Amino acid sequence: MQELTIDLPDQHATEDLARRLAGAARPGDAILLSGVLGAGKSVFSRAFLRAACGDPDMEVPSPTYTLVQSYDAPGGAIAHFDLWRLAGPEGLHELGWDDACEGIVLVEWPDRLGALAPADALRITLSVTGEETRGARIEGWDGRPVWAGLAAGRSA
């Protein structure tokens, strides 16, 4: 499995990473975002969704309480799941997980997916490395062209 670690010196760098990955995502893809509170999962998600939908000013509410928000993007449907409030995968089917996986799924707190976590997902672990700085460990999407662009922008 391909793996890359990138330094994200500021919020703009996190948003730039999200925009690059949004351009590479296609229906059937899963992007799983892990990290502690404040690591940048919501920042990443908002930038990803705005880029994928082609609207830099789009309002992107957090799905913390609704658990899932759906978007109609030019490249296909996107479902943004925030599973913080779930104890496990029970209930995901009622949230439309199976149908959502036909499009692009963006998942915060993917550890709650359990066995439902797609094996071929792109896994991004965000970490707090300083007051304003973050790091991203990226794994998955082996052999996809996105890796060349990510490696070229690598700063770690």
Side-chain angles (χ1 to χ4, degrees):
M1 179 181 296
Q2 287 185 280
E3 182 177 327
L4 180 67
T5 300
I6 298 175
D7 287 330
L8 303 168
D10 54 28
Q11 181 172 318
H12 178 74
T14 300
E15 293 167 340
D16 184 55
L17 173 63
R19 285 189 290 268
R20 287 189 280 157
L21 292 172
R26 55 189 185 218
D29 281 344
I31 297 99
L32 309 182
L33 299 171
S34 299
V36 298
L37 285 172
K41 295 180 298 296
S42 294
V43 167
F44 180 98
S45 296
R46 285 187 185 100
F48 181 96
L49 290 162
R50 288 175 178 145
C53 291
D55 184 354
D57 299 317
M58 182 176 75
E59 184 68 29
V60 180
S62 171
T64 299
Y65 294 102
T66 60
L67 303 178
V68 63
Q69 293 283 339
S70 298
Y71 300 87
D72 290 319
I78 303 173
H80 177 202
F81 289 85
D82 184 330
L83 305 181
W84 168 253
R85 294 179 43 226
L86 293 184
E90 301 78 23
L92 275 170
H93 298 291
E94 289 85 17
L95 293 173
W97 175 256
D98 297 320
D99 289 336
C101 287
E102 293 177 14
I104 297 168
V105 292
L106 180 63
V107 183
E108 297 183 52
W109 304 100
D111 56 307
R112 272 58 166 198
L113 289 171
L116 294 178
D120 59 350
L122 183 69
R123 298 171 186 277
I124 303 170
T125 303
L126 296 167
S127 58
V128 177
T129 57
E131 191 170 318
E132 298 293 324
T133 59
R134 304 292 183 261
R137 190 181 79 240
I138 306 166
E139 304 172 86
W141 285 3
D142 292 353
R144 300 253 308 251
V146 68
W147 280 100
L150 292 176
R154 182 183 172 160
S155 53

